[in-house]
Amino acid sequence: MLIPMSEAQPRFCYILTEECLERQTGCEIRLHCIDDSGPLLLRFTRQEPLFFLREADMPRGENLLQSQNIRTRRVELTDFRGEGLYAVYCRGIRQLTNLRNSLRQTGIRPQESDIRPEERFLMERFIHRSLEYRGGSAEKQPYRIITDPEIRSTEYRPVLSILSLDIETSPDSGILCVGLHYTASNGSESGEVHILNEYKKVEDGDGFNAVCYSSERAMIEGAAAAVRRFDPDLLTGWNVIGFDLEMLNHACERLGIRFGIGRDGTPPRCFQKQSGMRSAELRGRIVLDGPQAMRGGFHSFPDFSLETVANTVLGTGKTISADEDKVAEIMRLFAEDPQALAIYNFEDCRLVSRILTATGLIEQYMTRSLLTGLRLDRVSMSVAAFEFQYLPKMHRQGFAAPDTEDIFASEQAAGGYVFTTEPGRYSHVIVLDFRSLYPSIIRTFSIDPLSLLTAAENPGNTPAGISFNRERSILPGVIGELLARRAEAKRAGDAALSQAVKILMNSFYGVMGTPGCRFYDPRLPTAITGTGQWVLKISTARLRESGYQVLYGDTDSVFVQLKPDEIPRANEAAEKIVSWINQYLKKLLTTEYGVQSFLELEYEKHYDVFFLPPMRGSSEGARKRYAGRLAETGEIEFRGMEYVRSDWTDLAKEFQFELFRRFFSGEEIPRWILSEVEAVSSGYRDEKLIYRRRLTKRAEGYVKNVPPHVKAARMLDPEGKLNIRRVDYFITPEGPVPVKLCTGPIDYKHYIEKQIKPVADGVLPWLNTSFDEIVSGKQLELF
């Protein structure tokens, strides 16, 4: 049924997923969207996927183009070498792919033939997921479908409905139950558990309705129907991509059915990317995997099991603990207590929903999506975000870019400058940090691909010796706009937007040094890092000329010891140092390079006590390792030390924290160390001796080198049937033994020698003693 639309009344929507489909009349771009009234589909018919060919290559490809009746047109663009280009218009994706491959076989390299038509459609219109549409013909089956409307970019932010899915399986990969927890856009919650059971009654539980089935086929079809009835915008779960959806797809193949949970009834498409990461696509819905999303949102945990993350974030965990044999317990519940199994299944779903809510992860991802223009599940793809921002602007400057297939890596750019001084304990050290150093360098010296390509027009040099066009660039303007948005976000208290802008800006440097980016050129990152090194060195030299001791520097920060007369007014002194360094750099850059400085040194913090440990096997200070006590709060911060490393035991971490607390406070240490050694030897610290390690592959995949945690994993799975990716173990006189299998003695000598002694000996030389002297009794005279 056609529904008339007012030409004058615009509507606003957010794009969940986009795709390009083959049609007899040409390609069709489909945007599956959501607005205040629910889901809708925007269709754009008779689209022509395109790429570019160099004018010089046209005669060689003419016969091939004519044989397929390809339309071409000379355009006002050139490649990066300044050669004129023709646009090549195709009737479909298949034709474009075949034509591209045929051209490559003849030695012709097309330009931008690897850009997906739906992505080009959006980026060329500068549409960053939200849009305004009006006009077009409309129908409703099963949801609103708008054909060929007029669209333009706008700002619209919806609240998504979310469905968390979890399954439980048998050892032979059969599906036992499917749990669903739904959160509507208004915040209301509901849920269902679809369970295979025809013998024992399963009651509704807290927050869910139980639905029983006599066959696996009927249960899966019932669960799929429930997903379509809930109709979520976003589907999530813990390992929902790498496990749940793939297991459901395999079960459906075995049963001859489809898990049709897309908005159009299609099943999820699960696949593995070149990076090795598993991914899933679902028409009209976003699929966001819990652990992947947490990592992409810069959350850190000892491991990313649901049990660990839930306990850390929510203070509660799963109803079957990690110490139990999960498979055996699930099968026992399935046979003896299906009610408990349904509760366990649903609680896993609900835990994921509550983790996403508690961390604000969906709001963060939505903000990053609207900023980058990328689909919600792709916002962490920095190369794609850069190209979405940059490519359409490059077109407006008259250039088209090469295919990424034609980008080849060359020399690596230098890293950030790191320097140290003599190791030891220092008092009253301030940390000065250059705010967004690399983006500021890009703005200051107009560093970007366009200014590099056109450097001969109006060259300006950099401290790294690489010239860029001072008058014609793109990236400095983009960064300026982003910084203005971040400042506005900070004023408004919008932490998500401020963080999203910071993430995007900081990614620009790395992207331009990545061969996977079509704008890669090693001169770009070299100019940025080389200039960054110059900035840090020149600032450090200026500070030392003024009588300051600079203890440590790393990429964009310097650690400066205050002069004795400055200590009573440390904050004021730090701000004065920052002010005159900024003025010095501003004058220097104007005089020597003729540029306006956007570099800004800031005062970050003040350590009343600071310790720089020695580099292992050297008398020099370590790099990227230090500890300091904040003057204002007394909090002790560690960088690169055992306390913040996941491969050390809780014993070592807690020992190091207390050691530094005493060291910084001037409290007694030798007697305390002896008491800790005695406590370990007597078995009073056993719960702190567990090693927790992850496996990057299956245990049987380790052949040449078999580390202790892999040996422990093999003890848990001697037949290699389980895909164990995390193991907790003790070191015993017989070697590593999993915690759940350890019934014998623990090798306390190992923990004293390998976990306590190295930590202690990092500090004790500054007390004129050593761990061996203390435990051998030579320090008893002190007592």
Side-chain angles (χ1 to χ4, degrees):
M1 177 183 67
L2 291 181
I3 303 172
M5 291 187 63
S6 169
E7 291 286 338
Q9 185 176 3
R11 300 288 298 275
F12 307 98
C13 63
Y14 172 84
I15 305 167
L16 292 169
T17 66
E18 63 275 8
E19 62 182 334
C20 182
L21 301 179
E22 300 268 5
R23 293 288 185 262
Q24 289 184 348
T25 56
C27 279
E28 178 177 300
I29 303 292
R30 290 190 158 208
L31 307 179
H32 291 270
C33 305
I34 187 78
D35 67 8
D36 291 341
S37 300
L40 71 153
L41 173 66
L42 303 184
R43 300 171 59 241
F44 301 87
T45 60
R46 301 180 183 276
Q47 300 295 309
E48 293 180 297
L50 66 91
F51 60 89
F52 303 101
L53 282 183
R54 296 184 181 92
E55 186 173 9
D57 290 330
M58 290 297 290
R60 297 167 58 196
E62 186 174 4
N63 290 337
L64 182 60
L65 296 173
Q66 288 181 352
S67 67
Q68 297 192 33
N69 195 26
I70 298 293
R71 184 171 73 90
T72 63
R73 182 171 65 89
R74 181 71 167 84
V75 292
E76 297 299 319
L77 296 174
T78 71
D79 69 0
F80 286 180
R81 296 180 298 185
E83 296 187 25
L85 296 176
Y86 274 78
V88 179
Y89 298 92
C90 301
R91 291 183 297 279
I93 303 173
R94 190 179 297 107
Q95 185 184 55
L96 184 150
T97 302
N98 293 336
L99 183 57
R100 175 183 61 201
N101 295 339
S102 298
L103 289 167
R104 285 193 172 279
Q105 289 174 4
T106 66
I108 297 175
R109 293 180 177 177
Q111 306 279 294
E112 299 186 11
S113 67
D114 54 352
I115 296 176
R116 296 169 64 180
E118 60 271 30
E119 292 176 358
R120 187 188 294 279
F121 180 87
L122 295 175
M123 71 171 64
E124 293 295 346
R125 291 163 175 79
F126 298 99
I127 292 175
H128 286 207
R129 309 314 293 179
S130 61
L131 59 84
E132 173 188 317
Y133 68 94
R134 68 173 73 207
S137 60
E139 54 185 303
K140 188 170 184 178
Q141 52 168 37
Y143 43 76
R144 292 167 293 155
I145 301 176
I146 317 297
T147 302
D148 292 327
E150 296 178 7
I151 61 172
R152 66 178 182 181
S153 178
T154 191
E155 293 188 9
Y156 170 75
R157 185 187 184 103
V159 178
L160 303 182
S161 58
I162 302 170
L163 185 71
S164 175
L165 179 148
D166 181 72
I167 66 171
E168 302 303 335
T169 61
S170 64
D172 61 357
S173 300
I175 309 298
L176 303 178
C177 55
V178 182
L180 306 170
H181 177 262
Y182 178 70
T183 306
S185 57
N186 64 6
S188 63
E189 299 180 26
S190 57
E192 294 181 5
V193 174
H194 298 255
I195 187 166
L196 182 60
N197 188 283
E198 59 177 326
Y199 304 109
K200 297 181 179 180
K201 182 175 178 57
V202 179
E203 302 287 346
D204 294 344
D206 176 21
F208 72 88
N209 299 323
V211 187
C212 296
Y213 300 86
S214 60
S215 72
E216 185 182 17
R217 178 192 187 101
M219 178 187 63
I220 293 175
E221 290 179 331
V227 173
R228 294 192 296 271
R229 174 167 31 86
F230 282 125
D231 197 22
D233 303 317
L234 186 147
L235 182 73
T236 189
W238 214 255
N239 297 314
V240 69
I241 291 176
F243 181 74
D244 300 83
L245 291 181
E246 292 193 11
M247 293 295 289
L248 285 163
N249 273 346
H250 292 327
C252 287
E253 290 175 9
R254 171 169 47 84
L255 297 168
I257 58 177
R258 297 200 313 170
F259 194 57
I261 58 173
R263 276 220 154 104
D264 61 351
T266 54
R269 186 174 74 91
C270 302
F271 56 95
Q272 186 169 356
K273 299 179 181 178
Q274 289 184 346
S275 63
M277 183 178 291
R278 306 298 299 178
S279 186
E281 292 184 350
L282 194 58
R283 281 183 180 167
R285 310 190 203 280
I286 292 293
V287 182
L288 200 63
D289 191 80
Q292 289 183 19
M294 296 298 285
R295 290 187 179 95
F298 304 98
H299 291 273
S300 179
F301 302 94
D303 63 77
F304 280 84
S305 67
L306 181 56
E307 174 77 8
T308 298
V309 176
N311 273 303
T312 304
V313 174
L314 306 174
T316 185
K318 294 156 65 73
T319 57
I320 297 178
S321 74
D323 295 331
E324 298 180 65
D325 186 335
K326 179 182 174 182
V327 175
E329 179 62 9
I330 285 173
M331 293 308 298
R332 185 192 71 79
L333 293 177
F334 179 67
E336 301 175 8
D337 192 353
Q339 183 73 42
L341 178 60
I343 293 171
Y344 168 74
N345 184 210
F346 182 71
E347 275 305 310
D348 275 8
C349 297
R350 187 155 55 182
L351 282 175
V352 176
S353 298
R354 290 180 174 175
I355 287 170
L356 296 182
T357 299
T359 57
L361 200 65
I362 301 302
E363 290 78 8
Q364 182 203 104
Y365 269 58
M366 175 65 73
T367 299
R368 291 169 66 182
S369 171
L370 292 167
L371 184 67
T372 62
L374 299 185
R375 204 172 65 193
L376 203 69
D377 59 336
R378 301 182 74 225
V379 295
S380 297
M381 301 174 67
S382 55
V383 170
F386 181 87
E387 293 187 351
F388 199 96
Q389 298 271 337
Y390 199 88
L391 188 59
K393 293 182 174 67
M394 194 70 156
H395 291 159
R396 271 67 175 177
Q397 291 290 329
F399 290 94
D403 283 10
T404 53
E405 185 178 339
D406 297 321
I407 303 299
F408 302 98
S410 54
E411 71 270 18
Q412 289 263 343
Y417 177 52
V418 181
F419 65 89
T420 65
T421 188
E422 292 184 5
R425 170 175 165 160
Y426 298 88
S427 61
H428 296 289
V429 175
I430 58 172
V431 181
L432 309 179
D433 182 78
F434 280 98
R435 178 171 173 256
S436 301
L437 177 62
Y438 286 172
S440 297
I441 288 172
I442 291 171
R443 287 188 79 194
T444 299
F445 291 95
S446 298
I447 299 174
D448 84 336
L450 175 63
S451 61
L452 183 61
L453 283 174
T454 61
E457 297 176 7
N458 186 10
N461 202 11
T462 62
I466 302 172
S467 295
F468 295 86
N469 190 330
R470 289 281 168 79
E471 300 296 330
R472 193 178 177 193
S473 61
I474 296 172
L475 206 51
V478 171
I479 290 174
E481 293 171 2
L482 290 173
L483 285 171
R485 290 196 66 180
R486 189 175 189 213
E488 182 182 343
K490 286 185 173 182
R491 285 193 297 270
D494 190 342
L497 179 56
S498 177
Q499 183 189 34
V501 170
K502 181 180 179 180
I503 293 167
L504 180 60
M505 284 195 310
N506 289 341
S507 72
F508 290 162
Y509 153 73
V511 164
M512 291 188 292
T514 301
C517 175
R518 68 186 76 248
F519 296 104
Y520 164 79
D521 189 306
R523 291 173 294 176
L524 293 165
T526 296
I528 296 169
T529 57
T531 301
Q533 290 191 7
W534 177 84
V535 168
L536 204 64
K537 289 176 181 178
I538 204 75
S539 301
T540 299
R542 185 64 173 167
L543 286 162
R544 286 172 174 164
E545 288 171 5
S546 301
Y548 288 97
Q549 185 173 7
V550 184
L551 306 175
Y552 180 77
D554 185 354
T555 307
D556 59 358
S557 58
V558 288
F559 292 57
V560 183
Q561 188 171 35
L562 291 173
K563 297 175 182 178
D565 62 327
E566 294 175 327
I567 293 172
R569 298 180 303 277
N571 291 343
E572 181 182 338
E575 294 294 353
K576 285 183 178 180
I577 294 171
V578 163
S579 178
W580 66 255
I581 286 290
N582 283 331
Q583 290 298 318
Y584 166 71
L585 288 173
K586 182 178 181 180
K587 182 177 179 180
L588 181 66
L589 290 173
T590 301
T591 303
E592 293 196 10
Y593 293 95
V595 296
Q596 177 187 356
S597 174
F598 290 99
L599 302 174
E600 184 180 352
L601 188 65
E602 295 180 317
Y603 167 42
E604 184 179 348
K605 52 192 163 188
H606 170 205
Y607 294 125
D608 61 354
V609 190
F610 176 77
F611 181 72
L612 185 64
M615 190 181 301
R616 297 191 189 280
S618 171
S619 60
E620 295 182 8
R623 298 186 176 191
K624 300 185 182 297
R625 283 171 53 85
Y626 57 80
R629 186 176 68 188
L630 292 172
E632 290 189 1
T633 65
E635 178 186 355
I636 299 175
E637 294 186 335
F638 294 90
R639 169 73 187 276
M641 309 281 276
E642 290 77 4
Y643 180 77
V644 293
R645 291 179 53 178
S646 61
D647 54 346
W648 286 73
T649 63
D650 289 343
L651 172 73
K653 295 177 182 180
E654 293 180 10
F655 178 84
Q656 185 171 66
F657 181 86
E658 179 62 15
L659 175 68
F660 271 91
R661 190 196 67 77
R662 290 170 175 268
F663 180 53
F664 287 162
S665 301
E667 297 181 20
E668 189 278 334
I669 288 179
R671 188 188 300 274
W672 169 75
I673 288 178
L674 284 173
S675 68
E676 285 299 299
V677 170
E678 177 63 26
V680 172
S681 301
S682 301
Y684 295 123
R685 299 286 187 269
D686 286 3
E687 75 280 2
K688 307 293 184 183
L689 307 183
I690 300 171
Y691 286 96
R692 296 178 173 88
R693 300 292 301 276
R694 289 189 61 80
L695 284 75
T696 58
K697 53 189 174 183
R698 297 180 73 96
E700 63 268 23
Y702 294 81
V703 179
K704 293 183 179 180
N705 179 32
V706 183
H709 66 287
V710 176
K711 294 178 181 178
R714 288 178 176 177
M715 294 177 69
L716 289 172
D717 182 26
E719 297 181 1
K721 293 182 178 180
L722 304 177
N723 184 17
I724 296 175
R725 290 304 174 96
R726 195 198 87 166
V727 61
D728 298 351
Y729 64 96
F730 290 114
I731 295 295
T732 73
E734 288 73 36
V737 176
V739 171
K740 63 177 62 178
L741 300 181
C742 188
T743 57
I746 295 173
D747 186 356
Y748 295 130
K749 183 179 179 181
H750 162 87
Y751 288 94
I752 293 169
E753 291 291 324
K754 302 298 182 181
Q755 294 287 294
I756 291 181
K757 179 181 176 180
V759 172
D761 278 340
V763 166
L764 293 177
W766 279 267
L767 298 177
N768 297 315
T769 186
S770 70
F771 181 80
D772 287 340
E773 288 182 348
I774 290 174
V775 298
S776 67
K778 291 182 180 179
Q779 289 291 318
L780 291 179
E781 62 192 32
L782 296 177
F783 307 148

